[in-house]
Amino acid sequence: DQQVKQNSPSLSVQEGRISILNCDYTNSMFDYFLWYKKYPAEGPTFLISISSIKDKNEDGRFTVFLNKSAKHLSLHIVPSQPGDSAVYFCAARGAQKLVFGQGTRLTINP
Amino acid sequence: DTAVSQTPKYLVTQMGNDKSIKCEQNLGHDTMYWYKQDSKKFLKIMFSYNNKELIINETVPNRFSPKSPDKAHLNLHINSLELGDSAVYFCASSSTTGSYEQYFGPGTRLTVT
């Protein structure tokens, strides 16, 4: 039933290393894929997007990879910084709406 | 200045009561949304409005009724509250309908006892 899933509820990474967050989807009609970041007591904020016709999009320390054949996307953060500690939501757009995953809590350890 | 604001931030109430959550955005956006974050942490869209017109109405009990007095406001009224309504409700807005860049409010944590 859930069209977008993040199977890792949490991830712990050492500061300076690479963080890799994963997301799987089932609907091949999605046209954009997004990552949102959420701090406690705040709403999610848009981080980065990728069109379904691309396989990579980079913005500074953040890179999103899309593998359409596997219906999988990932977010790479390098190098990871303490301020990156947050919950990351994967989302996909289809039929004028966003479908979100359940989030992965990323903790960056000093 | 908060871009998308919601009131109240916390709401504790008893089953059977009626309550409202208010949302306001000062971004000049045309489209506003209500999302529910359930116990499994999925963020699910409930409604979207474009210029006060209902665009998306997901499978939501009709005890939930959105009201948009103008394009800067989208309120959510819930009748006859049930235990399963306990969740965090997020309001969001975007410049156009279906835009993937949405701006979220801080959320309202509703607890029904």
Side-chain angles (χ1 to χ4, degrees), chain B residues 11 13-20 63 77-81:
Chain B
L11 185 53
T13 188
Q14 291 185 326
M15 283 175 55
N17 285 348
D18 302 339
K19 289 293 178 186
S20 292
R63 298 182 294 103
H77 189 75
I78 315 170
N79 288 328
S80 303
L81 278 155

Side-chain angles (χ1 to χ4, degrees), chain A residues 83-95:
Chain A
D84 296 330
S85 294
V87 176
Y88 289 79
F89 288 95
C90 167
R93 188 179 78 171

Side-chain angles (χ1 to χ4, degrees), chain A residues 3-38:
Chain A
Q3 299 182 64
V4 177
K5 284 187 180 178
Q6 295 172 254
N7 293 316
S8 298
S10 63
L11 176 67
S12 187
V13 174
Q14 197 167 2
E15 182 179 357
R17 299 288 188 108
I18 185 171
S19 296
I20 301 176
L21 297 102
N22 294 302
C23 178
D24 297 301
Y25 64 95
T26 57
N27 188 343
S28 58
M29 299 302 291
F30 289 136
D31 65 349
Y32 270 90
F33 301 89
L34 318 312
W35 286 94
Y36 275 74
K37 178 178 179 179
K38 184 184 180 305

Side-chain angles (χ1 to χ4, degrees), chain A residues 1-2 4-5 32 34 36 38 41-46 49 89 93 95-103, chain B residues 9 33 35 37-38 40-45 55-56 58 90 97-107:
Chain A
D1 182 41
Q2 301 299 339
V4 177
K5 284 187 180 178
Y32 270 90
L34 318 312
Y36 275 74
K38 184 184 180 305
E42 295 182 11
T45 56
F46 171 74
S49 66
F89 288 95
R93 188 179 78 171
Q96 293 191 328
K97 65 183 181 184
L98 299 186
V99 180
F100 284 84
Q102 68 271 55
Chain B
K9 202 168 174 71
Y33 311 82
Y35 287 87
Q37 186 175 27
D38 61 23
K40 294 183 179 177
K41 303 301 183 186
F42 286 97
L43 260 173
K44 293 183 179 177
I45 189 165
I55 302 297
I56 292 174
E58 291 293 291
F90 288 95
T97 299
S99 171
Y100 58 70
E101 187 166 358
Q102 298 182 8
Y103 294 76
F104 283 79

Side-chain angles (χ1 to χ4, degrees), chain A residues 13-16 37 39 61 79-86 88 106-110:
Chain A
V13 174
Q14 197 167 2
E15 182 179 357
K37 178 178 179 179
Y39 291 119
R61 297 185 298 114
S80 300
Q81 298 175 354
D84 296 330
S85 294
Y88 289 79
L106 175 65
T107 303
I108 306 301
N109 302 308

